[in-house]
């Protein structure tokens, strides 16, 4: 009998079907009556077995047949009157914890240590259903806007943007680094393709122990030329954000419901406030003062998010004009106040999900800025080549893909939105 | 005046337009007449300036205006009668070599050393136009077949598949490895999502000095459950290959023409021949004998490709049943001959572009195979967890994305199909 997916069952009411999947949960009311949830790649469906002894362990890989019945109360709108169940593969042991419960109540460390099992839980699968949509939506919207997809190297002979937060590598007889971002490469590519995007890993050797950091993440990057100013970049990023959530709305209703997650409010134009002004507002409105030396701290970001919600009914806010010393050497300075930059962070529910700026495109200005930042131009020979031979005005962003899902689903940690997260202590599984 | 892209000019005949891009080449016949090629992200178009002195260097970023004229002989079907040219950014120096010629005749090392410049050449851009299509086509076809996109870590506490060909990394106070493939992770994910694919970097610390190897490449991976045998995998991969080339046919005609590249012949069913049989055929037909110990060598692959073309009019051929000792421990053995495996390589024009197999899905068999391969199960604790708690029959492939473009365009080296390639000696740019 050909296989039918659980999501297709509603088209087979009254017919006999065969499902392939996992025996997700088993409730035997008597020897005469058993309720079995079967999970396949499209979801979960209940089989009702009457007068048939179920001789299969929870977690088994099975093929089950039965007749589809309409059942309004069921999640799929159907249930299946089971006729047979064939075991393909059985678990060797009892599962170390029950993953058939509606919610998976385990500590974060257990959740991550047992990733091969915990990702089988319906609620955890939902996280990665949403993540899958984020990846594809980013790919779609960037191509719609005529960006070319590039893949740049993750190993490099030079520490990408300077600074100290990179992992070092033995590369044959040389020393190499893992790139912290595709920044320099994507800028070089603007000189050839004008509009480029990349979806790829970024590596940060930062000793963070927070719920919002991992040491390896998937960065959604974009860089493009012929901009008039950093506002063009924020406008483009707004389109991207809108498309991503539109796609999630279309594809992930069931996943959102499991988390009681609400789609964000995104105004036509996301509000943008200068960082210094935001700090003043936070002090006045929430009595929270940050030192002049910090750009903004996590608590400040939370208040900025709260302000955006209260004042603009927006889950997003751009903070702009970060101080020069808080941004890398390639960031373009503001024309009116050269201590500030043409830069922004995008906050979603009070957390930074994206960072961008207009970049310096003039060769002489770039050299000047490097010297000002005590960065040695000789270390950036190839990068500088692109500028020596003329670059258009340009800019772009990097965006943490996992943070979008983390905040949308109100997860406890961004690590829950990564299949196999890496942190200071975690290199397994 | 709003910007028009060169590819849109045919819709603006008789109208005045403004183009933004790069002054790609300049031919001054006299003070009265100059031909200027302007390159933007969509292509190249010729401006004709009469009685206007062009005071801009080749390579400059410019805005140029003029009136569009139909011109059958031109590539875009139009040319522009230039009226003005505004310089946005000039090169600081003469270019180290002329990139305005129709073909870029430089050594491979020059081509790669000067990547920030050479990728600006029209023929080099074409390579990455095709590559962009490959990436998107793979994404499309995998989603069409109901695969979920996953992103797995590239840093790991364990050497992914065993063996010695991995890069080591300082990871805070620990030692880590760069993953050679997402193999173990994607198998784990089959246990949760059934069908998964990944597009991501793979790192191989192999001392190759060939035209077909790089040490970091983008692998197009897939893994899926509930297969009946390795033939299902080859069938699925055939669909993928067909979709990729269909998309290239639709989108990259201009790029193919630049390389006089022909789309491959792909039969309805790609021929599949057992490796040992292929070696016999190669010996008989081409007089080339390989030792029993090698599976197949590069020259053998070339002959296999030649045979596929002569016998089946196919640019592709599957070689199957690789010897057990030539495949990793997780490969399923053939039922009839346990010295052979349920595995395959896919050759395109006589070069391996993909490797796949059915995997062992039974826990006890997997442990037995590990011991047989002198692999310590304790080193694969998390991976084995997935199997301890039941896995469906499954398999998949890895495919070298860059090799597809390398062979299609008949490039001299796969490195030409990588923006910033990494090899034993090359970590820059």
């Amino acid at each position: 009998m050909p296989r039918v997916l659980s999501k297709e069952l509603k088209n087979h009411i009254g017919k006999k079907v065969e499902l392939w999947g996992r025996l997700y949960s088993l409730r035997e009311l008597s020897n005469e009556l058993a309720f079995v949830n079967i999970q396949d790649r499209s979801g979960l469906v209940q089989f009702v077995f009457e007068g048939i002894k179920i001789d299969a362990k929870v977690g088994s890989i099975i093929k089950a047949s039965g007749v589809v019945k309409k059942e309004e109360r069921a999640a799929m709108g159907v249930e299946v009157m089971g006729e047979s169940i064939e075991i393909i593969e059985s678990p060797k042991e009892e599962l170390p914890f029950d993953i058939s419960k509606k919610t998976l109540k385990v500590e974060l460390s257990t959740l991550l240590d047992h990733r091969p099992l915990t990702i089988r839980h319906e609620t955890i699968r939902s996280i990665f259903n949403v993540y899958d949509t984020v990846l594809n939506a980013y790919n779609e919207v960037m191509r719609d806007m005529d960006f070319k997809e590039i893949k740049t190297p993750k190993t490099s002979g030079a520490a990408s943007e300077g600074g100290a937060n990179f992992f070092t590598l033995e590369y044959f007889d040389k020393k190499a680094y893992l790139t912290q971002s595709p920044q320099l490469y994507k800028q070089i590519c603007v000189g050839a393709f004008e509009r480029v995007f990349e979806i790829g890993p970024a590596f940060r050797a930062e000793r963070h122990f927070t719920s919002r950091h991992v040491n390896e993440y998937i960065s959604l990057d974009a860089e493009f030329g012929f901009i008039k100013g950093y506002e063009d970049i924020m406008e483009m990023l707004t389109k991207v954000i809108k498309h991503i959530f539109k796609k999630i709305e279309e594809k992930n209703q069931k996943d959102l419901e499991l988390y009681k997650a609400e789609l964000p409010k995104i105004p036509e134009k996301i509000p943008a406030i200068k960082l210094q002004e935001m700090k003043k507002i936070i002090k006045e409105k929430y009595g929270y003062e940050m030192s002049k030396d910090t750009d903004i701290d996590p608590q400040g970001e939370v208040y900025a998010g709260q302000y955006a919600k209260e004042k603009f009914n927006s889950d997003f806010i751009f903070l702009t004009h970060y101080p020069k010393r808080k941004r890398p050497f390639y960031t373009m300075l503001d024309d009116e106040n050269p201590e500030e930059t043409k830069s922004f962070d995008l906050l979603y529910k009070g957390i930074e999900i994206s960072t961008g700026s207009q970049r310096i495109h003039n060769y002489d200005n770039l050299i000047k800025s490097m010297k000002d930042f005590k960065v040695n131009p000789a270390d950036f020979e190839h990068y500088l080549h692109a500028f020596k031979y003329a670059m258009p005005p340009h800019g772009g962003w990097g965006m943490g893909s996992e943070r979008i899902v983390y905040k949308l689903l109100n997860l406890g940690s961004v690590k829950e939105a990564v299949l196999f997260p890496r942190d200071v202590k975690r290199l397994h599984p």
Side-chain angles (χ1 to χ4, degrees), chain A:
Chain A
M1 203 180 309
R3 175 188 192 181
V4 172
L5 291 175
S6 61
K7 71 171 177 188
E8 301 162 344
L9 286 172
K10 55 186 181 299
N11 307 323
H12 293 262
I13 288 165
K15 302 221 179 77
K16 188 168 169 181
V17 294
E18 186 170 278
L19 264 90
W20 305 353
R22 193 181 292 281
L23 199 163
Y24 191 74
S25 69
L26 170 62
R27 198 155 48 97
E28 285 180 293
L29 294 193
S30 68
N31 274 338
E32 296 300 307
L33 184 62
F35 296 97
V36 174
N37 272 313
I38 291 177
Q39 182 193 46
D40 65 14
R41 69 176 189 266
S42 73
L44 212 57
V45 67
Q46 179 165 275
F47 273 60
V48 182
F49 284 96
E50 286 181 4
I52 296 169
K53 176 82 191 135
I54 306 299
D55 198 18
K57 278 189 251 180
V58 168
S60 295
I61 300 294
I62 51 98
K63 293 185 179 183
S65 70
V67 174
V68 187
K69 210 184 92 183
K70 207 167 173 169
E71 174 53 68
E72 301 291 355
R73 289 163 300 174
M76 291 278 184
V78 294
E79 61 184 20
V80 182
M81 303 312 293
E83 295 188 357
S84 74
I85 193 160
E86 177 196 346
I87 300 171
I88 309 295
E89 202 63 31
S90 281
K92 293 290 292 179
E93 290 177 8
E94 285 283 309
L95 275 68
F97 46 83
D98 190 354
I99 72 154
S100 68
K101 288 275 185 301
K102 198 145 190 202
T103 52
L104 186 62
K105 282 190 182 126
V106 293
E107 298 280 327
L108 182 62
S109 61
T110 308
L111 183 76
L112 301 180
D113 286 345
H114 290 85
R115 226 32 173 164
L117 293 186
T118 55
I119 53 172
R120 295 178 184 178
H121 193 273
E122 276 298 289
T123 58
I124 311 298
R125 294 210 312 180
S126 273
I127 297 172
F128 298 101
N129 289 341
V130 175
Y131 189 64
D132 174 67
T133 304
V134 170
L135 292 176
N136 196 32
Y138 190 72
N139 179 63
E140 276 176 357
V141 67
M142 296 315 291
R143 287 172 188 281
D144 282 352
M145 300 190 305
D146 213 12
F147 282 65
K148 191 170 301 299
E149 187 169 6
I150 57 169
K151 295 290 181 186
T152 67
K154 303 309 159 196
T155 53
S156 175
S160 34
E161 305 180 27
N165 301 324
F166 43 78
F167 293 110
T168 59
L169 189 74
E170 289 166 44
Y171 192 89
F172 302 108
D173 49 348
K174 295 196 197 78
K175 197 174 161 184
Y177 306 92
L178 288 183
T179 52
Q180 298 162 292
S181 88
Q183 183 62 36
L184 308 186
Y185 294 107
K186 66 180 180 170
Q187 284 187 262
I188 289 173
C189 287
V190 164
F193 308 110
E194 192 194 314
R195 293 185 170 195
V196 294
F197 77 100
E198 179 166 10
I199 302 175
F203 306 90
R204 302 277 168 101
E206 295 164 351
R207 291 189 174 272
H208 288 299
F209 294 91
T210 75
S211 58
R212 64 187 191 287
H213 287 98
V214 279
N215 294 96
E216 178 179 345
Y217 69 98
I218 298 293
S219 182
L220 307 176
D221 275 276
E223 197 76 16
F224 61 111
F226 292 104
I227 60 173
K228 286 187 291 293
Y230 71 99
E231 298 91 341
D232 290 0
I233 309 167
M234 300 197 303
E235 198 182 300
M236 196 83 102
L237 181 52
T238 301
K239 282 186 196 163
V240 170
I241 292 292
K242 285 186 178 169
H243 185 77
I244 289 174
F245 285 101
K246 191 180 130 234
K247 284 307 202 180
I248 292 173
E249 183 173 14
E250 284 171 27
K251 297 196 167 176
N252 300 96
Q253 282 302 337
K254 216 173 67 178
D255 307 305
L256 295 176
E257 278 163 28
L258 274 181
Y259 283 86
K260 298 184 176 51
E262 274 179 39
L263 287 162
K265 301 264 184 285
I266 318 173
E268 181 62 28
K269 197 174 145 78
I270 293 175
I273 295 183
K274 283 190 179 185
L275 180 72
Q276 293 310 327
E277 196 179 323
M278 190 73 241
K279 286 171 82 170
K280 265 186 233 158
I281 293 170
I282 291 171
K283 188 183 160 195
E284 282 163 22
K285 221 171 143 63
Y286 307 106
Y288 184 74
E289 188 166 8
M290 282 162 276
S291 93
K292 272 222 145 183
D293 283 348
T294 47
D295 42 1
I296 186 166
D297 62 20
Q299 184 56 49
E301 289 187 341
V302 169
Y303 283 126
Q306 191 177 329
Y307 180 72
K309 192 79 182 167
E310 290 169 6
K311 171 93 180 178
F312 305 103
N313 192 26
S314 173
D315 282 304
F316 292 88
I317 184 167
F318 282 114
L319 302 183
T320 68
H321 295 82
Y322 279 65
K324 175 175 135 182
R325 288 293 155 199
K326 297 290 175 183
R327 291 285 168 153
F329 67 82
Y330 49 76
T331 313
M332 195 175 265
L333 303 182
D334 187 46
D335 304 313
E336 287 159 30
N337 177 0
E339 286 307 306
E340 293 184 344
T341 57
K342 293 183 177 176
S343 67
F344 61 84
D345 270 13
L346 176 62
L347 310 190
Y348 169 34
K349 290 184 181 175
I351 195 174
E352 178 247 305
I353 60 164
S354 177
T355 295
S357 70
Q358 181 166 0
R359 329 296 189 185
I360 299 171
H361 62 275
N362 175 271
Y363 179 77
D364 294 330
N365 291 344
L366 190 55
I367 295 279
K368 210 189 301 172
S369 179
M370 283 179 162
K371 289 184 177 160
D372 188 23
F373 272 78
K374 311 257 182 287
V375 161
N376 186 358
D379 295 341
F380 294 85
E381 183 197 343
H382 296 284
Y383 174 68
L384 284 170
H385 249 76
F387 294 84
K388 193 179 267 177
Y389 302 109
M391 285 282 281
H394 67 281
W397 65 75
M399 180 154 60
S401 59
E402 299 90 347
R403 283 190 174 180
I404 297 171
V405 178
Y406 158 47
K407 293 310 285 184
L408 172 63
L409 300 183
N410 303 309
L411 304 176
S413 166
V414 70
K415 291 171 197 173
E416 295 182 44
V418 184
L419 278 168
F420 305 99
R422 295 290 173 256
D423 63 26
V424 178
K425 297 284 172 199
R426 181 174 294 280
L427 272 166
H428 297 278

